[in-house]
């Protein structure tokens, strides 16, 4: 890309030089006007012919230079197009292999050599030079597109003020839904829309910042890696923020769906605490994956991934253990028939992240990443099904209440 831009600049410079000698006769007349008038006529004519010949040769050489640079530029463009096509082909083959050869070791299991690459990876992540370069590049982009950034800041302020009003309105709708005599479905639909809009604000801001940084950096650049990581982190952030608001004190689960207070409290705490664990870990993993250095991914990236899975299992165990004990006591009082099934499901939920961590530890890096994404997508799907079930049940209840005719 830099060579293409340099070739374009050379073409422009060569064309300007050729344009400067386009009027050969005028240049000759201007130069000859400064010659000593006492010079003999035959010498003057000879000098004019010599000067004309030099100017015509210079003009021809500059035209040849323009043609050569133009040909060079066109070849560079063809090469760039071919490179992009090659990259697309390689990526398509990688995707094909990744989809069909999941259980193939992509790296070696953890060994002593794995730990030796951690220090360079950490140094790359926290390098003041890299971060200073990122800030400088963003600042240069702000100065070059100042009007666009001013518009974005104004839009941010407007949307932020609107978000605060949405939060206030969500509380009002929650109170309306808590009215025992209320049978209207519209407050719940409005609350769901407000929840989605409120949840999307900060992830959208982070995603836009990541998109801009990604566009400023090359494919192997620190800016590109950080921008890609911010974009992916914003998606994970959104998938955590929506259920957190639904399960929150003023969310849909309490005031509209009437879900169990204890279950909502547990889920709200799990999601709230997972922010501190999940988002930084996801950012580091995504940045290393985008950077493309296999040694970095095989060392720091894998270690962070394993620690993330273990932390999620620990968090789930801490949060779900009291409910398992309470359910076990209830089931024991009723005869104890469902204690085993409940323990099995709770154990499966708690062990799922750790099992993925073991897969990563054994060297199946890509498989572990895909299983982690599938686990996250499955969790989002389950939460979406819960929300949809609550909406359908509430809609059915509202329709049934509307059909009751007072006597």
């Amino acid at each position: 890309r830099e060579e293409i831009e340099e070739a374009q600049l050379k073409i422009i410079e060569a064309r300007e030089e050729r344009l400067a000698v386009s009027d050969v006769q005028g240049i000759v007349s201007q130069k000859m006007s400064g010659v000593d008038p006492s010079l003999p006529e035959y010498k003057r004519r000879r000098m004019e012919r010599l000067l004309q010949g030099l100017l015509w040769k210079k003009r021809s050489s500059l035209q040849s230079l323009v043609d050569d640079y133009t040909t060079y530029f066109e070849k560079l463009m063809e090469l760039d197009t071919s490179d992009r096509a090659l990259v697309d082909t390689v990526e398509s083959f990688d995707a094909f292999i990744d989809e069909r050869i999941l259980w193939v070791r992509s790296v070696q299991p953890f060994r002593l050599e794995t730990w030796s690459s951690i220090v360079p990876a950490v140094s790359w992540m926290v390098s003041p030079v890299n971060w200073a370069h990122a800030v400088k590049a963003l600042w240069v982009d702000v100065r070059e597109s100042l009007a666009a950034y001013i518009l974005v800041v104004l839009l941010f302020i407007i949307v932020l003020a609107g978000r605060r009003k949405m939060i206030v309105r969500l509380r009002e709708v929650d109170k309306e839904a808590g009215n025992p005599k209320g049978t209207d479905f519209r407050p719940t639909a409005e609350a769901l829309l407000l929840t989605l809009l409120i949840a999307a604000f900060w992830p959208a801001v982070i995603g836009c910042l990541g998109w801009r940084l990604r566009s400023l950096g090359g494919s192997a650049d620190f800016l590109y890696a950080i921008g890609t990581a911010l974009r992916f982190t914003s998606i994970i952030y959104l998938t955590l923020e929506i259920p957190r608001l639904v399960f929150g004190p003023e969310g849909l689960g309490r005031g509209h769906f009437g879900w169990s207070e204890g279950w909502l409290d547990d889920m709200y705490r799990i999601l709230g605490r997972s922010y501190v664990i999940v988002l930084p870990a996801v950012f580091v993993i995504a940045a290393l994956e985008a950077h493309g250095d296999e040694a970095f991914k095989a060392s720091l990236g894998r270690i962070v991934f394993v620690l993330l899975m273990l932390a999620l299992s620990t968090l789930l165990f801490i949060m779900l253990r009291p409910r398992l004990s309470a359910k076990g006591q209830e089931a024991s009082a009723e005869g104890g028939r469902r204690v085993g099934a409940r323990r099995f499901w709770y154990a499966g939920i708690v062990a799922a992240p750790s099992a993925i961590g073991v897969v990563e530890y054994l060297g199946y890096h890509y498989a572990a990443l895909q299983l982690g994404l599938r686990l996250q997508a499955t969790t989002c799907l389950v939460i979406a099904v819960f929300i949809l079930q609550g909406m359908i049940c509430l809609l059915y209840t509202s329709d049934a209440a509307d059909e009751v005719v007072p006597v």
Side-chain angles (χ1 to χ4, degrees):
R1 183 59 60 180
E2 293 179 358
E3 293 181 2
I4 292 175
E5 294 176 356
E6 185 178 356
Q8 286 180 310
L9 181 61
K10 293 294 185 181
I11 291 173
I12 295 174
E13 292 175 351
R15 285 177 177 174
E16 290 178 350
E17 291 184 19
R18 192 184 72 84
L19 183 62
V21 296
S22 59
D23 186 9
V24 174
Q25 192 60 42
I27 296 174
V28 171
S29 301
Q30 180 183 4
K31 296 295 183 181
M32 293 304 298
S33 62
V35 178
D36 186 5
S38 61
L39 189 69
E41 186 65 24
Y42 75 94
K43 289 186 177 181
R44 178 182 293 273
R45 291 179 180 177
R46 185 178 178 183
M47 186 178 294
E48 287 180 357
R49 288 195 298 270
L50 181 60
L51 185 57
Q52 286 177 351
L54 291 174
L55 289 173
W56 279 110
K57 286 182 180 180
K58 182 177 181 180
R59 182 177 177 179
S60 177
S61 299
L62 288 173
Q63 182 59 47
S64 299
L65 184 62
V66 170
D67 294 338
D68 291 341
Y69 271 126
T70 303
T71 303
Y72 177 60
F73 172 75
E74 292 174 352
K75 295 296 184 182
L76 286 177
M77 291 299 297
E78 293 177 1
L79 179 61
D80 183 68
T81 303
S82 301
D83 287 344
R84 291 178 181 273
L86 178 61
V87 170
D88 293 339
T89 302
V90 171
E91 289 179 351
S92 63
F93 273 104
D94 284 343
F96 179 85
I97 292 173
D98 291 340
E99 290 175 0
R100 290 162 175 79
I101 311 179
L102 188 62
W103 296 106
V104 173
R105 250 187 205 138
S106 52
V107 292
Q108 293 296 324
F110 277 103
R111 297 182 298 180
L112 185 60
E113 293 81 0
T114 305
W115 302 94
S116 63
S117 301
I118 293 179
V119 175
V122 173
S123 300
W124 178 80
M125 282 292 301
V126 302
S127 171
V129 176
N130 288 338
W131 285 104
H133 174 66
V135 173
K136 183 179 179 180
L138 187 60
W139 174 245
V140 171
D141 187 58
V142 169
R143 287 190 300 176
E144 292 178 352
S145 307
L146 184 59
Y149 274 94
I150 291 175
L151 182 61
V152 170
V153 171
L154 292 176
L155 181 62
F156 171 81
I157 295 173
I158 294 172
V159 176
L160 180 61
R163 182 177 182 270
R164 293 177 179 175
K165 294 182 179 179
M166 291 179 191
I167 294 174
V168 174
R169 177 55 186 166
L170 183 61
R171 293 171 181 171
E172 296 174 354
V173 172
D174 183 67
K175 293 179 181 179
E176 294 176 9
N179 183 6
K181 298 181 180 180
T183 59
D184 194 358
F185 179 74
R186 285 177 295 181
T188 302
E190 182 181 357
L192 177 61
L193 178 60
L194 291 172
T195 299
L196 295 177
L197 293 176
I198 293 170
F201 177 74
W202 288 114
V205 173
I206 296 174
C208 290
L209 178 61
W211 165 78
R212 195 58 196 158
L213 288 175
R214 190 173 186 267
S215 64
L216 294 176
S219 60
D221 192 72
F222 182 78
L223 281 172
Y224 179 87
I226 296 302
T228 303
L230 286 174
R231 288 179 59 184
F232 187 75
T233 304
S234 67
I235 297 174
I236 303 300
Y237 185 9
L238 179 62
T239 60
L240 292 174
E241 183 67 6
I242 292 176
R244 191 185 74 86
L245 292 177
V246 171
F247 300 146
E250 298 171 347
L252 286 165
R254 299 174 191 267
H256 298 263
F257 301 154
W259 290 342
S260 170
E261 292 281 343
W263 182 77
L264 288 173
D265 290 337
D266 290 343
M267 295 302 298
Y268 185 69
R269 284 197 299 269
I270 289 174
L271 292 170
R273 295 180 183 181
S274 65
Y275 276 46
V276 184
I277 300 173
V278 174
L279 296 184
V282 167
F283 176 81
V284 172
I285 295 169
L288 295 174
E289 288 292 322
H291 180 55
D293 191 301
E294 296 297 330
F296 288 3
K297 291 191 292 184
S299 57
L300 181 61
R302 294 175 63 201
I303 291 172
V304 172
F305 185 88
V306 171
L307 292 177
L308 173 61
M309 294 297 106
L310 294 177
L312 289 178
S313 288
T314 304
L315 187 61
L316 288 172
F317 176 77
I318 294 173
M319 292 301 166
L320 297 180
R321 184 180 181 184
R323 293 194 57 78
L324 177 60
S325 301
K327 292 292 185 181
Q329 293 175 2
E330 294 176 4
S332 298
E334 297 173 359
R337 294 183 178 179
R338 295 186 291 177
V339 177
R342 284 199 178 112
R343 290 185 182 276
F344 173 79
W345 284 110
Y346 275 93
I349 293 173
V350 171
S354 296
I356 297 175
V358 172
V359 172
E360 176 68 87
Y361 178 83
L362 294 176
Y364 299 94
H365 178 63
Y366 176 78
L369 290 179
Q370 293 302 311
L371 289 174
L373 292 174
R374 299 296 189 276
L375 178 63
Q376 191 265 345
T378 302
T379 304
C380 293
L381 179 61
V382 171
I383 294 173
V385 169
F386 279 143
I387 296 174
L388 181 61
Q389 180 189 26
M391 297 290 290
I392 293 174
C393 292
L394 188 60
L395 179 61
Y396 176 78
T397 305
S398 300
D399 292 341
D402 291 339
E403 294 176 358
V404 176
V405 180
V407 180

